[in-house]
Amino acid sequence: MANNDLVRLIEAIDRLAAGGFVMGADWQAVHDICQRHEGEWPFDWGHALCHRIEGDDWNADYWYRRAGKTRGTGTMADEWSAMRAILSQKD
């Protein structure tokens, strides 16, 4: 896994979070990064978050399973805070 791409993912989700986790250019940037690293759990987890934001729970749950995680039950901000803490240890 390229650490610089993980840093890019964290930065992209930070921008998505700052914008209120809405669909748009920041969401697409996160999705694109995750798709380039399909099969790597941090990026699959980010992919899951993208589809949770999109409201596609079935697809989100697929990506959560691929990442070895479960869908968060709190807010997107809560989930991102927990994810960020774990992903930041990897970069």
Side-chain angles (χ1 to χ4, degrees):
M1 169 178 13
N3 281 349
N4 57 344
D5 284 345
L6 186 55
V7 169
R8 283 188 193 106
L9 176 64
I10 292 168
E11 291 170 349
I13 300 177
D14 280 344
R15 288 190 302 276
L16 183 61
F21 297 102
V22 296
M23 301 289 295
D26 291 325
W27 181 94
Q28 190 64 52
V30 171
H31 194 258
D32 290 347
I33 292 167
C34 293
Q35 282 188 313
R36 284 194 301 271
H37 291 276
E38 186 175 323
E40 299 174 43
W41 74 265
F43 298 93
D44 289 349
W45 197 7
H47 205 156
L49 183 65
C50 281
H51 289 292
R52 181 174 177 217
I53 291 165
E54 185 181 31
D56 186 349
D57 291 342
W58 181 91
N59 202 0
D61 288 343
Y62 168 81
W63 289 105
Y64 282 113
R65 284 190 304 276
R66 296 260 325 239
K69 305 292 181 183
T70 57
R71 184 173 4 130
T73 58
T75 66
M76 298 294 172
D78 291 340
E79 184 168 357
W80 173 233
S81 179
M83 285 177 69
R84 193 180 199 294
I86 292 168
L87 296 179
S88 294
Q89 295 172 4
K90 299 283 181 201
D91 63 8

